[in-house]
Amino acid sequence: MAFFAKLFAPFLALAATAAPLAAQDSAMTLKGDVMLEQTVADETGNTTVRLVEPNTIVPGDRLVFGTEYANTSAETVENFVVTNPLPAAVRLAEDASADLIVSVDGGSDWGQLSQLSVMGEDGTSRPASHADVTHVRWTLARVAAGETGRLEYPAVIR
């Protein structure tokens, strides 16, 4: 469990950053979580995937990082930005939505993964890959008064 806490301290710190974000726009609250995808088979061999709290994680395990948001005011909030850093011990899953807005340089530049590139060790530019993603960002165009929602992205333990 200590390994898990250390591994995901940057993401779990998102809960601590919810207060500063709320200070910027006191109408919005954020709550982050991390769940482990677990495949279970029934007595007939049919499998289902469920999300459980991670107790033990190993390389290759698939996680779902989530952020719940709520507009606690009586006013609509426009263009609210939610940014989640990926812990260094995970990579964005290959089947993550191609529409996600991501950064591969620590949050300086943003775009869809297919639009981004990184500098290779040999000094040449190459297309960015899922393993290069450092942050995921959503811009909520309009969040009505009292509206709640959830944002998620899948990741894999390196």
Side-chain angles (χ1 to χ4, degrees):
M1 191 63 157
F3 172 74
F4 175 76
K6 182 177 179 185
L7 181 67
F8 294 106
F11 179 78
L12 297 175
L14 177 63
T17 63
L21 286 175
Q24 292 173 359
D25 190 332
S26 61
M28 297 295 292
T29 61
L30 300 174
K31 180 182 175 193
D33 62 55
V34 182
M35 300 298 282
L36 172 68
E37 278 192 5
Q38 185 178 66
T39 303
V40 292
D42 64 17
E43 61 279 349
T44 64
N46 293 324
T47 60
T48 58
V49 175
R50 63 182 182 174
L51 295 176
V52 299
E53 288 195 29
N55 290 322
T56 304
I57 53 174
V58 297
D61 279 350
R62 184 178 165 93
L63 303 172
V64 175
F65 287 77
T67 302
E68 294 179 6
Y69 63 88
N71 179 348
T72 59
S73 77
E75 302 293 326
T76 296
V77 173
E78 295 184 357
N79 298 316
F80 187 75
V81 177
V82 179
T83 301
N84 285 355
L86 271 75
V90 302
R91 66 172 167 75
L92 188 65
E94 298 288 332
D95 64 341
S97 172
D99 293 334
L100 276 177
I101 301 302
V102 301
S103 176
V104 296
D105 60 6
S108 294
D109 297 302
W110 296 90
Q112 292 177 338
L113 185 59
S114 62
Q115 302 167 331
L116 300 174
S117 61
V118 296
M119 201 59 82
E121 290 184 21
D122 63 358
T124 62
S125 180
R126 65 167 175 79
S129 72
H130 290 83
D132 297 316
V133 173
T134 61
H135 293 75
V136 176
R137 174 178 281 176
W138 298 267
T139 300
L140 305 174
R142 293 179 53 88
V143 184
E147 183 178 349
T148 63
R150 182 169 174 83
L151 306 167
E152 295 181 334
Y153 68 89
V156 177
I157 302 291
R158 294 182 193 261

